[in-house]
């Protein structure tokens, strides 16, 4: 079935949160608190209504099966950087190139912009994500960060990719 990629809007919040939570549940079985889906719905509602990030969704028929979000990076990153904050696909559709389609659409949209690189943070235990990003030309920078999710400490690795026109 054909994948359609478009900008998300507020009516997509529940579907985005559902893809986010099911993807995390698959990748991090047993690490997610029960309240995670409600918090993800609130996060995506705030993100879309307050324009905190740009969000692309991948649809199959009328169903959202993946999403990607990006924004200007926080902190002291170069003004020529754009941060990829999220890229998730419904676990039942892993391996069908939906993530690659979303990423390629996103990257092509940046080719005529002033951005020269894409930065992201990925969990060091998520080998599927790390392999995906490496396959798409990202390299680890050596910077690491930690975040706490309901008592669990997660280690993040920063990755970067140059944008070529």
């Amino acid at each position: 079935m054909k994948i359609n990629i478009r900008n998300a809007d507020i009516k997509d919040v529940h579907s985005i949160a559902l893809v986010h939570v099911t993807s995390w549940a698959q990748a991090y079985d047993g690490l997610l608190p029960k309240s995670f889906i409600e918090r993800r719905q609130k996060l995506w509602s705030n993100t879309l209504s307050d324009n905190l990030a740009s969000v692309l969704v991948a649809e199959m028929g009328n169903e959202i099966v993946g999403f990607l979000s990006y924004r200007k990076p926080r902190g002291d990153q170069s003004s020529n950087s754009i941060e990829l904050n999220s890229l998730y696909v419904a676990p039942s559709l892993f391996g069908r190139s939906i993530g690659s389609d979303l990423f390629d659409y996103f990257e092509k949209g940046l080719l005529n912009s002033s951005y020269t690189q894409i930065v992201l943070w990925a969990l060091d235990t998520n080998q599927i994500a790390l392999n995906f990003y490496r396959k798409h030309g990202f390299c680890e920078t050596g910077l690491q960060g930690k975040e706490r999710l309901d008592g669990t400490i997660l280690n993040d690795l920063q990755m970067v990719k140059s944008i070529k026109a």
Side-chain angles (χ1 to χ4, degrees):
M1 183 172 265
K2 183 174 173 23
I3 300 295
N4 177 50
I5 298 175
R6 63 170 174 81
N7 290 315
D9 59 45
I10 199 71
K11 73 177 175 21
D12 299 322
V13 165
H14 178 74
S15 296
I16 291 169
L18 188 60
V19 169
H20 193 171
V21 170
T22 57
S23 295
W24 269 59
Q26 177 83 15
Y28 306 107
D29 187 29
L31 293 179
L32 297 178
K34 299 289 183 205
S35 62
F36 196 67
I37 190 155
E38 292 86 11
R39 293 200 327 239
R40 294 300 95 177
Q41 285 180 305
K42 183 170 176 46
L43 176 139
W44 291 111
S45 180
N46 291 342
T47 296
L48 291 170
S49 61
D50 297 341
N51 292 316
L52 301 176
S54 297
V55 182
L56 300 171
V57 294
E59 292 177 311
M60 241 174 144
N62 292 325
E63 182 183 357
I64 292 175
V65 295
F67 71 92
L68 178 150
S69 70
Y70 60 98
R71 66 173 181 227
K72 286 291 295 170
R74 296 182 203 167
D76 56 353
Q77 292 292 324
S78 161
S79 62
N80 293 331
S81 297
I82 191 80
E83 183 175 359
L84 172 60
N85 344 25
S86 301
L87 174 55
Y88 293 99
V89 173
S92 62
L93 298 171
F94 284 176
R96 291 200 173 169
S97 79
I98 295 168
S100 292
D101 291 346
L102 273 165
F103 181 76
D104 292 345
Y105 184 93
F106 163 64
E107 187 175 30
K108 285 177 188 166
L110 297 174
L111 289 178
N112 294 319
S113 73
S114 63
Y115 299 115
T116 60
Q117 67 179 8
I118 304 167
V119 296
L120 62 85
W121 292 88
L123 290 172
D124 65 350
T125 56
N126 190 343
Q127 284 304 312
I128 292 171
L130 294 171
N131 291 339
F132 174 88
Y133 293 126
R134 288 178 186 126
K135 178 179 115 181
H136 286 279
F138 283 86
C139 298
E140 294 174 30
T141 66
L143 292 177
Q144 296 185 16
K146 294 187 184 306
E147 61 181 299
R148 182 179 299 273
L149 179 63
D150 287 353
T152 301
I153 295 180
L154 304 172
N155 297 307
D156 295 319
L157 304 176
Q158 187 186 54
M159 300 181 85
V160 65
K161 176 183 182 174
S162 294
I163 299 171
K164 296 181 175 86

